[in-house]
Amino acid sequence: MTPSLNHNQVKKNPRNKIDDGGCGKAVRGLKLAIIVVSLSMVTDGVSGEHGVLLPSSTEKKGWSVSAFYVLGDSSVDCGDNTLFYPFLHHNLSLIPCEGSDRSLVPHFLAEKMGFPSTPTFYGQNGSIDGLFQGLNFGSAEAMIMSSADHEFQSLNQQIRQVLETFQLLQLHLPLNSALSYIESSLIYLSFGKDDYIELFLHNPGIMHKFTGPEFARILVDQMAAAMRTLHVAGARRIIIVGILPIGCAPRTVWEWNEAWGMLGNGKDNQTVCIEEINELVTQYNRLLEERIVSLNSDLPGMNIIFCNVYEGIMEIVNNPKKHGFENIKDACCGFGMNGARVGCLAVDMACKDRRTHLWWDLYNPTQAVNKLLAESAWSSLSLGHICRPSTIKHLVSP
């Protein structure tokens, strides 16, 4: 049995109670209504026999990719694409990144491919032109799993939004053109962190029901099902991002130390990472990479890359000064010991030396870390070969 938090010592957090009450249903209904309205606005804006003409490809910039579609959690969205965020949320941190999505890995990758930005799904302006550059379907609060807690988007919800977008392209372009466009698009998925934080580590019922490997397999099965669905829809190039080392996040270390009575006399405990929790994440990442190898073999024409951000961040943890970091324990934006008791409530409360910090808030890395991760994913520079079987640069090369 994988070592875990002692839930007789850790106070159960009521925010993790699965509830299908009226408020959750109302929020879900409003979200679905907005999706429908947005899609109808896009449709109404199209004219001509086959709709709009295809925009110029980024091949002129040297990369063979037509659009960049992003799915995921707070690793891809700062809350801009999450309805009513931060008014309806579970996170103790209101600002999960340094101000905007432009501080996150997908933005840096989009820039390298010649896309100035990846607009949010809920921020569409009613023009079908926006679909051609790509969209960010991610939500600051998202899980692989589906639950009755509607404040968290699920992987399946975002996949449905992608499929609806692909259907619009096929409605307003010649079929062959639409299929070719989808096939040459790049899809980026980054999920799993919130499944462990919310469902496993803070939910005694789930933690006692499943072992670490069993929970990891459930998540990997759902990720694999999503990749198969995208393949059926015509997608052929996908980036799957693993889970970062949650065991090194400021909030995790603080909770662990508090649970085991290691925060006495107001002194800072020197623990940097909780290996037992990192092992849970490692199990998931390992299983996911193995499944991706199988899918690349089983699905015709499929080219999936696995990017292990866990390895990249642990390289920084083990060699901070080599990569320009001085603080690998404290949240740059947060209150309490190590900035881990309460997360980032306003950018103004952030540390002055954020470029030398590993962690931005309770669970999310700083922009400086995200830049290094993007460089490594793109061309294996900075933090080594974190993406396999090839770099993203190689994936989108003509």
Side-chain angles (χ1 to χ4, degrees), residues 225-268:
M227 287 181 266
R228 289 183 179 277
T229 298
L230 290 171
H231 181 264
V232 171
R236 293 296 180 268
R237 295 192 289 185
I238 299 177
I239 301 166
I240 301 293
V241 180
I243 302 176
L244 50 69
I246 299 172
C248 302
R251 180 72 179 187
T252 303
V253 176
W254 179 81
E255 287 181 338
W256 182 276
N257 288 335
E258 183 183 59
W260 295 100
M262 302 169 74
L263 296 177
N265 303 320
K267 295 183 179 180
D268 180 17

Side-chain angles (χ1 to χ4, degrees), residues 68 70-82 85 94-111 115-123 134-141 158 188 347 360 364-368 370-371 374:
F68 189 35
V70 178
L71 298 80
D73 50 28
S74 60
S75 59
V76 306
D77 174 55
C78 289
D80 298 335
N81 204 34
T82 304
Y85 190 88
L94 302 186
I95 305 174
C97 68
E98 291 187 42
S100 75
D101 294 356
R102 302 180 74 86
S103 66
L104 303 177
V105 172
H107 172 73
F108 297 123
L109 294 175
E111 282 188 327
F115 298 109
S117 64
T118 305
T120 61
F121 177 72
Y122 288 118
L135 289 171
N136 187 342
F137 301 92
S139 170
E141 294 186 321
Q158 294 187 28
Y188 181 102
V347 175
W360 165 253
N364 298 289
T366 58
Q367 176 174 320
N370 288 330
K371 279 186 176 181

Side-chain angles (χ1 to χ4, degrees), residues 1-4 196 200 210-221 242-245 275-291 306 308 310:
M1 182 75 174
T2 304
S4 58
Y196 277 94
F200 199 74
F210 301 105
T211 66
E214 288 172 342
F215 188 71
R217 192 168 299 280
I218 291 171
L219 298 183
V220 169
D221 286 345
I243 302 176
L244 50 69
E275 296 304 323
E276 291 89 340
I277 294 178
N278 275 349
E279 177 58 27
L280 296 173
V281 174
T282 301
Q283 291 169 358
Y284 167 82
N285 287 337
R286 186 185 305 117
L287 285 173
L288 181 59
E289 184 171 11
E290 290 172 357
R291 189 68 60 87
F306 174 69
N308 197 339
Y310 180 101

Side-chain angles (χ1 to χ4, degrees), residues 15-36:
R15 65 193 179 137
N16 296 297
K17 181 180 180 181
I18 297 178
D19 182 16
D20 199 15
C23 180
K25 292 181 179 178
V27 172
R28 177 176 59 175
L30 182 55
K31 287 182 178 181
L32 292 174
I34 291 177
I35 291 173
V36 172

